[in-house]
């Protein structure tokens, strides 16, 4: 089921509702917090192992860092596709995601528009409206 949801979100076609967008953003934020917590905890554990036993835990910490970066990049890609689909749901182009590059105002604009705008109840060029 999770794989089906990921595959459905990882395309530019279609629309997602405001509720679906908030759920997805909440889940990705939770996964990122958990991943960061595990990374910090395991880095400390690897450091303790380095001091007590291994004397060289650098490869372990490096591997943990690379896996954390890959996981974070995957979550950012999912979030990017969710933003595009949500823009489609309100009848705007996905290129509005570029607003996020504008410091301070861009992320607030994205949050306000995607998080609080109502869905377009009619079919638009991006597809049929989603059922709740």
């Amino acid at each position: 089921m999770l794989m089906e949801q990921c595959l459905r979100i990882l395309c530019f076609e279609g629309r997602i509702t405001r509720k679906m967008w908030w759920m997805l953003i909440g889940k990705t934020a939770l996964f990122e917090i958990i991943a960061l917590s595990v990374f910090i905890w395991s880095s400390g554990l690897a450091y303790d192992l380095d001091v007590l036993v291994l004397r060289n835990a650098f490869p372990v910490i490096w591997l943990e860092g690379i896996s954390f970066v890959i996981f974070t990049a995957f979550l950012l890609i999912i979030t990017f596709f969710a933003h595009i689909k949500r823009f489609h749901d309100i009848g705007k182009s996905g290129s509005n995601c570029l607003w996020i590059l504008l410091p301070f105002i861009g992320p607030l604009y994205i949050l306000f528009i995607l998080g609080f705008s109502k869905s377009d109840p009619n079919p638009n060029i991006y597809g049929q409206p989603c059922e709740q």
Side-chain angles (χ1 to χ4, degrees), residues 84-119:
I84 289 174
K85 287 180 169 244
R86 181 69 182 118
F87 272 120
H88 288 176
D89 191 50
I90 58 177
K92 296 182 182 269
S93 170
S95 62
N96 281 296
C97 284
L98 295 175
W99 278 99
I100 202 127
L101 299 175
L102 191 64
F104 304 112
I105 300 201
L108 291 175
Y109 172 78
I110 296 283
L111 180 68
F112 180 75
I113 293 295
L114 299 183
F116 300 107
S117 294
K118 291 191 176 197
S119 298

mmCIF file of all heavy atoms in Angstrom, residues 84-119:
data_model
loop_
_atom_site.group_PDB
_atom_site.id
_atom_site.type_symbol
_atom_site.label_atom_id
_atom_site.label_comp_id
_atom_site.label_asym_id
_atom_site.label_seq_id
_atom_site.Cartn_x
_atom_site.Cartn_y
_atom_site.Cartn_z
ATOM 1 N N ILE A 84 3.596 20.140 -6.556
ATOM 2 C CA ILE A 84 3.134 20.290 -7.945
ATOM 3 C C ILE A 84 1.693 19.822 -8.081
ATOM 4 O O ILE A 84 0.851 20.510 -8.670
ATOM 5 C CB ILE A 84 4.062 19.526 -8.905
ATOM 6 C CG1 ILE A 84 5.402 20.234 -8.991
ATOM 7 C CG2 ILE A 84 3.432 19.405 -10.298
ATOM 8 C CD1 ILE A 84 6.445 19.502 -9.791
ATOM 9 N N LYS A 85 1.380 18.665 -7.512
ATOM 10 C CA LYS A 85 0.017 18.137 -7.618
ATOM 11 C C LYS A 85 -0.980 19.030 -6.888
ATOM 12 O O LYS A 85 -2.113 19.200 -7.327
ATOM 13 C CB LYS A 85 -0.043 16.713 -7.096
ATOM 14 C CG LYS A 85 0.601 15.730 -8.027
ATOM 15 C CD LYS A 85 0.509 14.339 -7.444
ATOM 16 C CE LYS A 85 0.911 13.347 -8.467
ATOM 17 N NZ LYS A 85 -0.141 12.456 -8.843
ATOM 18 N N ARG A 86 -0.551 19.611 -5.794
ATOM 19 C CA ARG A 86 -1.454 20.518 -5.064
ATOM 20 C C ARG A 86 -1.678 21.803 -5.853
ATOM 21 O O ARG A 86 -2.805 22.315 -5.889
ATOM 22 C CB ARG A 86 -0.863 20.823 -3.686
ATOM 23 C CG ARG A 86 -1.732 21.718 -2.845
ATOM 24 C CD ARG A 86 -3.003 21.041 -2.390
ATOM 25 N NE ARG A 86 -3.790 22.010 -1.639
ATOM 26 C CZ ARG A 86 -4.994 22.431 -1.994
ATOM 27 N NH1 ARG A 86 -5.606 21.905 -3.018
ATOM 28 N NH2 ARG A 86 -5.604 23.343 -1.292
ATOM 29 N N PHE A 87 -0.630 22.328 -6.484
ATOM 30 C CA PHE A 87 -0.823 23.481 -7.363
ATOM 31 C C PHE A 87 -1.790 23.139 -8.490
ATOM 32 O O PHE A 87 -2.630 23.949 -8.861
ATOM 33 C CB PHE A 87 0.505 23.971 -7.943
ATOM 34 C CG PHE A 87 1.217 24.980 -7.076
ATOM 35 C CD1 PHE A 87 2.476 24.730 -6.583
ATOM 36 C CD2 PHE A 87 0.615 26.185 -6.766
ATOM 37 C CE1 PHE A 87 3.130 25.661 -5.789
ATOM 38 C CE2 PHE A 87 1.252 27.124 -5.973
ATOM 39 C CZ PHE A 87 2.515 26.863 -5.475
ATOM 40 N N HIS A 88 -1.680 21.934 -9.030
ATOM 41 C CA HIS A 88 -2.613 21.509 -10.070
ATOM 42 C C HIS A 88 -4.041 21.483 -9.531
ATOM 43 O O HIS A 88 -4.987 21.812 -10.249
ATOM 44 C CB HIS A 88 -2.239 20.121 -10.595
ATOM 45 C CG HIS A 88 -1.010 20.107 -11.434
ATOM 46 N ND1 HIS A 88 -0.479 18.936 -11.912
ATOM 47 C CD2 HIS A 88 -0.194 21.099 -11.876
ATOM 48 C CE1 HIS A 88 0.602 19.208 -12.632
ATOM 49 N NE2 HIS A 88 0.799 20.523 -12.617
ATOM 50 N N ASP A 89 -4.195 21.093 -8.284
ATOM 51 C CA ASP A 89 -5.531 20.996 -7.691
ATOM 52 C C ASP A 89 -6.203 22.356 -7.560
ATOM 53 O O ASP A 89 -7.422 22.456 -7.632
ATOM 54 C CB ASP A 89 -5.449 20.314 -6.326
ATOM 55 C CG ASP A 89 -6.804 19.955 -5.777
ATOM 56 O OD1 ASP A 89 -7.599 19.336 -6.519
ATOM 57 O OD2 ASP A 89 -7.084 20.301 -4.622
ATOM 58 N N ILE A 90 -5.419 23.403 -7.369
ATOM 59 C CA ILE A 90 -6.022 24.735 -7.249
ATOM 60 C C ILE A 90 -6.006 25.473 -8.584
ATOM 61 O O ILE A 90 -6.311 26.663 -8.644
ATOM 62 C CB ILE A 90 -5.348 25.577 -6.140
ATOM 63 C CG1 ILE A 90 -3.858 25.751 -6.380
ATOM 64 C CG2 ILE A 90 -5.612 24.959 -4.789
ATOM 65 C CD1 ILE A 90 -3.172 26.634 -5.362
ATOM 66 N N GLY A 91 -5.611 24.763 -9.662
ATOM 67 C CA GLY A 91 -5.679 25.333 -10.998
ATOM 68 C C GLY A 91 -4.473 26.155 -11.406
ATOM 69 O O GLY A 91 -4.551 26.967 -12.314
ATOM 70 N N LYS A 92 -3.356 25.972 -10.738
ATOM 71 C CA LYS A 92 -2.139 26.719 -11.063
ATOM 72 C C LYS A 92 -1.081 25.767 -11.609
ATOM 73 O O LYS A 92 -1.128 24.566 -11.392
ATOM 74 C CB LYS A 92 -1.598 27.438 -9.829
ATOM 75 C CG LYS A 92 -2.524 28.506 -9.286
ATOM 76 C CD LYS A 92 -1.887 29.193 -8.109
ATOM 77 C CE LYS A 92 -2.814 30.227 -7.541
ATOM 78 N NZ LYS A 92 -2.630 31.530 -8.136
ATOM 79 N N SER A 93 -0.109 26.340 -12.273
ATOM 80 C CA SER A 93 0.983 25.555 -12.838
ATOM 81 C C SER A 93 1.936 25.094 -11.737
ATOM 82 O O SER A 93 2.136 25.780 -10.727
ATOM 83 C CB SER A 93 1.740 26.404 -13.856
ATOM 84 O OG SER A 93 2.921 25.771 -14.236
ATOM 85 N N GLY A 94 2.553 23.939 -11.953
ATOM 86 C CA GLY A 94 3.533 23.435 -10.994
ATOM 87 C C GLY A 94 4.785 24.286 -10.925
ATOM 88 O O GLY A 94 5.551 24.183 -9.968
ATOM 89 N N SER A 95 4.992 25.155 -11.914
ATOM 90 C CA SER A 95 6.173 26.025 -11.881
ATOM 91 C C SER A 95 6.094 27.046 -10.744
ATOM 92 O O SER A 95 7.092 27.699 -10.425
ATOM 93 C CB SER A 95 6.354 26.733 -13.221
ATOM 94 O OG SER A 95 5.256 27.561 -13.488
ATOM 95 N N ASN A 96 4.945 27.153 -10.114
ATOM 96 C CA ASN A 96 4.837 28.020 -8.929
ATOM 97 C C ASN A 96 5.685 27.516 -7.776
ATOM 98 O O ASN A 96 5.893 28.242 -6.794
ATOM 99 C CB ASN A 96 3.378 28.145 -8.495
ATOM 100 C CG ASN A 96 2.621 29.127 -9.351
ATOM 101 O OD1 ASN A 96 2.930 30.307 -9.362
ATOM 102 N ND2 ASN A 96 1.637 28.638 -10.077
ATOM 103 N N CYS A 97 6.176 26.284 -7.874
ATOM 104 C CA CYS A 97 7.075 25.763 -6.839
ATOM 105 C C CYS A 97 8.357 26.567 -6.759
ATOM 106 O O CYS A 97 9.044 26.532 -5.736
ATOM 107 C CB CYS A 97 7.414 24.300 -7.114
ATOM 108 S SG CYS A 97 6.098 23.164 -6.720
ATOM 109 N N LEU A 98 8.684 27.279 -7.812
ATOM 110 C CA LEU A 98 9.903 28.088 -7.808
ATOM 111 C C LEU A 98 9.840 29.236 -6.799
ATOM 112 O O LEU A 98 10.873 29.811 -6.449
ATOM 113 C CB LEU A 98 10.182 28.628 -9.209
ATOM 114 C CG LEU A 98 10.496 27.552 -10.256
ATOM 115 C CD1 LEU A 98 10.641 28.184 -11.623
ATOM 116 C CD2 LEU A 98 11.743 26.781 -9.877
ATOM 117 N N TRP A 99 8.652 29.565 -6.325
ATOM 118 C CA TRP A 99 8.516 30.585 -5.279
ATOM 119 C C TRP A 99 9.316 30.219 -4.035
ATOM 120 O O TRP A 99 9.732 31.089 -3.278
ATOM 121 C CB TRP A 99 7.049 30.770 -4.888
ATOM 122 C CG TRP A 99 6.300 31.654 -5.807
ATOM 123 C CD1 TRP A 99 5.467 31.271 -6.822
ATOM 124 C CD2 TRP A 99 6.286 33.080 -5.807
ATOM 125 N NE1 TRP A 99 4.949 32.370 -7.449
ATOM 126 C CE2 TRP A 99 5.437 33.497 -6.844
ATOM 127 C CE3 TRP A 99 6.915 34.049 -5.032
ATOM 128 C CZ2 TRP A 99 5.194 34.827 -7.120
ATOM 129 C CZ3 TRP A 99 6.672 35.381 -5.312
ATOM 130 C CH2 TRP A 99 5.825 35.754 -6.349
ATOM 131 N N ILE A 100 9.526 28.919 -3.813
ATOM 132 C CA ILE A 100 10.223 28.479 -2.613
ATOM 133 C C ILE A 100 11.670 28.964 -2.588
ATOM 134 O O ILE A 100 12.289 29.034 -1.533
ATOM 135 C CB ILE A 100 10.133 26.953 -2.452
ATOM 136 C CG1 ILE A 100 10.359 26.554 -1.007
ATOM 137 C CG2 ILE A 100 11.129 26.223 -3.304
ATOM 138 C CD1 ILE A 100 9.321 25.703 -0.444
ATOM 139 N N LEU A 101 12.208 29.331 -3.749
ATOM 140 C CA LEU A 101 13.586 29.815 -3.820
ATOM 141 C C LEU A 101 13.738 31.245 -3.307
ATOM 142 O O LEU A 101 14.850 31.692 -3.035
ATOM 143 C CB LEU A 101 14.095 29.723 -5.262
ATOM 144 C CG LEU A 101 14.134 28.317 -5.851
ATOM 145 C CD1 LEU A 101 14.537 28.378 -7.314
ATOM 146 C CD2 LEU A 101 15.056 27.417 -5.054
ATOM 147 N N LEU A 102 12.631 31.950 -3.173
ATOM 148 C CA LEU A 102 12.655 33.315 -2.666
ATOM 149 C C LEU A 102 12.744 33.268 -1.131
ATOM 150 O O LEU A 102 11.853 32.738 -0.475
ATOM 151 C CB LEU A 102 11.382 34.047 -3.093
ATOM 152 C CG LEU A 102 11.327 35.539 -2.892
ATOM 153 C CD1 LEU A 102 12.377 36.221 -3.766
ATOM 154 C CD2 LEU A 102 9.952 36.044 -3.270
ATOM 155 N N PRO A 103 13.821 33.795 -0.547
ATOM 156 C CA PRO A 103 13.991 33.674 0.903
ATOM 157 C C PRO A 103 12.832 34.296 1.698
ATOM 158 O O PRO A 103 12.305 35.334 1.331
ATOM 159 C CB PRO A 103 15.291 34.435 1.185
ATOM 160 C CG PRO A 103 15.996 34.492 -0.122
ATOM 161 C CD PRO A 103 14.928 34.489 -1.174
ATOM 162 N N PHE A 104 12.480 33.646 2.778
ATOM 163 C CA PHE A 104 11.469 34.059 3.740
ATOM 164 C C PHE A 104 10.053 34.098 3.157
ATOM 165 O O PHE A 104 9.165 33.427 3.636
ATOM 166 C CB PHE A 104 11.801 35.416 4.387
ATOM 167 C CG PHE A 104 13.135 35.442 5.050
ATOM 168 C CD1 PHE A 104 14.160 36.214 4.525
ATOM 169 C CD2 PHE A 104 13.391 34.686 6.174
ATOM 170 C CE1 PHE A 104 15.407 36.232 5.123
ATOM 171 C CE2 PHE A 104 14.634 34.694 6.775
ATOM 172 C CZ PHE A 104 15.631 35.472 6.252
ATOM 173 N N ILE A 105 9.834 34.896 2.131
ATOM 174 C CA ILE A 105 8.488 35.086 1.593
ATOM 175 C C ILE A 105 8.043 33.879 0.778
ATOM 176 O O ILE A 105 6.878 33.502 0.826
ATOM 177 C CB ILE A 105 8.444 36.385 0.754
ATOM 178 C CG1 ILE A 105 8.816 37.511 1.666
ATOM 179 C CG2 ILE A 105 7.135 36.542 0.040
ATOM 180 C CD1 ILE A 105 8.428 38.868 1.333
ATOM 181 N N GLY A 106 8.966 33.270 0.040
ATOM 182 C CA GLY A 106 8.623 32.135 -0.810
ATOM 183 C C GLY A 106 8.008 30.961 -0.053
ATOM 184 O O GLY A 106 6.907 30.500 -0.390
ATOM 185 N N PRO A 107 8.691 30.453 0.989
ATOM 186 C CA PRO A 107 8.102 29.344 1.741
ATOM 187 C C PRO A 107 6.771 29.700 2.402
ATOM 188 O O PRO A 107 5.861 28.866 2.468
ATOM 189 C CB PRO A 107 9.164 29.009 2.789
ATOM 190 C CG PRO A 107 10.441 29.475 2.184
ATOM 191 C CD PRO A 107 10.090 30.680 1.383
ATOM 192 N N LEU A 108 6.644 30.936 2.881
ATOM 193 C CA LEU A 108 5.368 31.356 3.479
ATOM 194 C C LEU A 108 4.257 31.402 2.425
ATOM 195 O O LEU A 108 3.123 31.003 2.694
ATOM 196 C CB LEU A 108 5.516 32.719 4.153
ATOM 197 C CG LEU A 108 6.369 32.738 5.409
ATOM 198 C CD1 LEU A 108 6.540 34.166 5.906
ATOM 199 C CD2 LEU A 108 5.771 31.867 6.481
ATOM 200 N N TYR A 109 4.596 31.877 1.238
ATOM 201 C CA TYR A 109 3.625 31.909 0.134
ATOM 202 C C TYR A 109 3.180 30.485 -0.213
ATOM 203 O O TYR A 109 1.984 30.215 -0.349
ATOM 204 C CB TYR A 109 4.254 32.590 -1.088
ATOM 205 C CG TYR A 109 3.406 32.506 -2.323
ATOM 206 C CD1 TYR A 109 2.309 33.326 -2.495
ATOM 207 C CD2 TYR A 109 3.710 31.590 -3.337
ATOM 208 C CE1 TYR A 109 1.528 33.244 -3.637
ATOM 209 C CE2 TYR A 109 2.933 31.502 -4.473
ATOM 210 C CZ TYR A 109 1.843 32.321 -4.623
ATOM 211 O OH TYR A 109 1.070 32.235 -5.739
ATOM 212 N N ILE A 110 4.154 29.582 -0.343
ATOM 213 C CA ILE A 110 3.840 28.185 -0.671
ATOM 214 C C ILE A 110 2.946 27.590 0.411
ATOM 215 O O ILE A 110 1.935 26.931 0.109
ATOM 216 C CB ILE A 110 5.134 27.357 -0.814
ATOM 217 C CG1 ILE A 110 5.974 27.848 -1.977
ATOM 218 C CG2 ILE A 110 4.847 25.872 -0.928
ATOM 219 C CD1 ILE A 110 5.519 27.437 -3.326
ATOM 220 N N LEU A 111 3.300 27.788 1.674
ATOM 221 C CA LEU A 111 2.499 27.244 2.773
ATOM 222 C C LEU A 111 1.089 27.806 2.759
ATOM 223 O O LEU A 111 0.112 27.057 2.919
ATOM 224 C CB LEU A 111 3.174 27.548 4.113
ATOM 225 C CG LEU A 111 2.443 27.047 5.356
ATOM 226 C CD1 LEU A 111 2.473 25.526 5.393
ATOM 227 C CD2 LEU A 111 3.054 27.629 6.599
ATOM 228 N N PHE A 112 0.958 29.098 2.572
ATOM 229 C CA PHE A 112 -0.356 29.718 2.577
ATOM 230 C C PHE A 112 -1.205 29.235 1.400
ATOM 231 O O PHE A 112 -2.356 28.837 1.564
ATOM 232 C CB PHE A 112 -0.234 31.247 2.553
ATOM 233 C CG PHE A 112 -1.546 31.942 2.547
ATOM 234 C CD1 PHE A 112 -2.323 32.017 3.692
ATOM 235 C CD2 PHE A 112 -2.040 32.512 1.381
ATOM 236 C CE1 PHE A 112 -3.550 32.653 3.685
ATOM 237 C CE2 PHE A 112 -3.272 33.152 1.355
ATOM 238 C CZ PHE A 112 -4.029 33.218 2.511
ATOM 239 N N ILE A 113 -0.644 29.276 0.194
ATOM 240 C CA ILE A 113 -1.404 28.902 -0.997
ATOM 241 C C ILE A 113 -1.765 27.414 -0.977
ATOM 242 O O ILE A 113 -2.925 27.039 -1.199
ATOM 243 C CB ILE A 113 -0.609 29.246 -2.278
ATOM 244 C CG1 ILE A 113 -0.468 30.754 -2.410
ATOM 245 C CG2 ILE A 113 -1.263 28.663 -3.520
ATOM 246 C CD1 ILE A 113 -1.764 31.495 -2.608
ATOM 247 N N LEU A 114 -0.797 26.554 -0.720
ATOM 248 C CA LEU A 114 -1.064 25.117 -0.784
ATOM 249 C C LEU A 114 -1.821 24.608 0.432
ATOM 250 O O LEU A 114 -2.614 23.678 0.329
ATOM 251 C CB LEU A 114 0.241 24.342 -0.951
ATOM 252 C CG LEU A 114 1.034 24.638 -2.212
ATOM 253 C CD1 LEU A 114 2.262 23.752 -2.279
ATOM 254 C CD2 LEU A 114 0.184 24.480 -3.444
ATOM 255 N N GLY A 115 -1.566 25.211 1.573
ATOM 256 C CA GLY A 115 -2.175 24.707 2.795
ATOM 257 C C GLY A 115 -3.565 25.226 3.088
ATOM 258 O O GLY A 115 -4.319 24.585 3.815
ATOM 259 N N PHE A 116 -3.916 26.367 2.516
ATOM 260 C CA PHE A 116 -5.189 26.962 2.900
ATOM 261 C C PHE A 116 -6.127 27.278 1.735
ATOM 262 O O PHE A 116 -7.264 27.661 1.961
ATOM 263 C CB PHE A 116 -4.936 28.223 3.734
ATOM 264 C CG PHE A 116 -4.157 27.939 4.982
ATOM 265 C CD1 PHE A 116 -2.833 28.314 5.094
ATOM 266 C CD2 PHE A 116 -4.744 27.258 6.037
ATOM 267 C CE1 PHE A 116 -2.105 28.041 6.243
ATOM 268 C CE2 PHE A 116 -4.022 26.971 7.180
ATOM 269 C CZ PHE A 116 -2.709 27.367 7.286
ATOM 270 N N SER A 117 -5.664 27.147 0.494
ATOM 271 C CA SER A 117 -6.545 27.395 -0.650
ATOM 272 C C SER A 117 -7.467 26.196 -0.883
ATOM 273 O O SER A 117 -7.043 25.053 -0.744
ATOM 274 C CB SER A 117 -5.727 27.628 -1.922
ATOM 275 O OG SER A 117 -4.983 28.799 -1.815
ATOM 276 N N LYS A 118 -8.701 26.487 -1.255
ATOM 277 C CA LYS A 118 -9.648 25.411 -1.538
ATOM 278 C C LYS A 118 -9.354 24.813 -2.907
ATOM 279 O O LYS A 118 -8.842 25.478 -3.801
ATOM 280 C CB LYS A 118 -11.071 25.942 -1.503
ATOM 281 C CG LYS A 118 -11.506 26.328 -0.119
ATOM 282 C CD LYS A 118 -12.985 26.589 -0.079
ATOM 283 C CE LYS A 118 -13.341 26.883 1.372
ATOM 284 N NZ LYS A 118 -14.742 26.761 1.623
ATOM 285 N N SER A 119 -9.708 23.546 -3.033
ATOM 286 C CA SER A 119 -9.539 22.848 -4.305
ATOM 287 C C SER A 119 -10.513 23.386 -5.338
ATOM 288 O O SER A 119 -11.603 23.847 -5.010
ATOM 289 C CB SER A 119 -9.795 21.350 -4.118
ATOM 290 O OG SER A 119 -8.877 20.796 -3.222
#
